[in-house]
Amino acid sequence: MSGQPAGPLPGDAERALYLEILAQGGRVGFAEAVRQDPGAVVRLIGLGLLVPHGTADQLTAVSPRAVAGRIGAGLRTEATRMLVRAERMPEALAELVEAYEAAVPEAERSAEVEHVDEMEQIRHRILQIEADYREEGLSAQPGRRPPEHLADDSRSRAALERGVEIRVLYQPVSRDDPATAAYAARATGWGMRIRVLDEAFTRMIIFDRRVAVIPAAADNRSAAFVEDPAVVAVLAAGFLRDWERAERIRWEVTDRTTEAPVHDMVGTLLAQGLTQRAIAGRMGLSERTVAGHIARLRDLYDAETLFQLGWLMRGGVDE
């Protein structure tokens, strides 16, 4: 609630009562203040902005400058303690890190390439990486998407919600597959960017431009996990080159229970001139979620800036 203080700071109710007491000369009867807002009185006393006067039947407002210094000192002390804890965290978890690394199958390693031959182990290894990446996912998925791969979309959605930018390349066959089209409509509604490239390309996933997963066999039943920075950089550059040539798609919504209408509403409000923050407040969404929708709209309209996007969505003519 907006009237509640956030942490050690006074909220709206406390500020209003404090200003009213100042307007009355900086002193108020305890009983009178309690009648106005007992909760705010208690919090102001706790913060030190009001102190009992005389026999405690009066309250006196004191300078926020002194209170700010005291609270600031406390926050700095707490911040120091948190920094110390953060510095000690790797040491505290060292035993668990060693146990985890010892438990992960070593498989066959060559330099910074790990070969995994069993599908279950491949999925397990990808799950481990997905739980740790935070910035970007690049995925090239040629051919028709197996339905079982589309059924569990919780991991991709969770990644998008924590701010990961995900770009996916499909081939034209995906446009004619109802399951893939429905998934793409849902996923792009969450902020994923999906394009179609009418060319042959190799299956590949790149996490944070740190780890690339590529086929190690023609049947895709063996995978290579590449962590060599130079190799990953070359693979990422190839993906981005294909991405620029790929076609932007307005995926049809086949399931009206999906969140695509949310995407449409974001576009409508953006075209009306609302800011990202205002849209988030209007729709009850986080700014990060709204940013995901806007990223997809910018991709669809090929807009470089929010101003250009809003102009195009209001019917502007593309240059």
Side-chain angles (χ1 to χ4, degrees), residues 110-192:
S110 173
E112 293 179 285
V113 178
E114 175 185 356
H115 293 268
V116 181
D117 297 323
E118 297 181 8
M119 290 300 299
E120 189 62 31
Q121 287 295 332
I122 294 173
R123 284 191 289 268
H124 176 68
R125 185 75 179 91
I126 290 177
L127 282 173
Q128 290 178 320
I129 299 172
E130 282 183 332
D132 192 44
Y133 82 123
R134 289 291 181 271
E135 297 179 5
E136 179 188 62
L138 308 176
S139 180
Q141 301 291 345
R144 191 177 298 274
R145 304 291 291 128
E148 61 271 18
H149 291 181
L150 302 172
D152 184 9
D153 52 27
S154 59
R155 299 194 307 277
S156 294
R157 185 170 184 177
L160 291 165
E161 288 177 349
R162 66 175 180 263
V164 175
E165 179 186 358
I166 300 180
R167 285 183 274 185
V168 181
L169 279 177
Y170 285 159
Q171 287 181 320
V173 66
S174 299
R175 301 179 63 176
D176 302 323
D177 179 58
T180 303
Y183 168 80
R186 294 196 305 274
T188 52
W190 304 329
M192 186 182 295

Side-chain angles (χ1 to χ4, degrees), residues 264-275 278-280 282-283:
D264 295 337
M265 291 173 63
V266 170
T268 299
L269 294 175
L270 188 65
Q272 293 174 2
L274 273 69
T275 64
I279 293 172
R282 176 79 64 86
M283 300 184 65

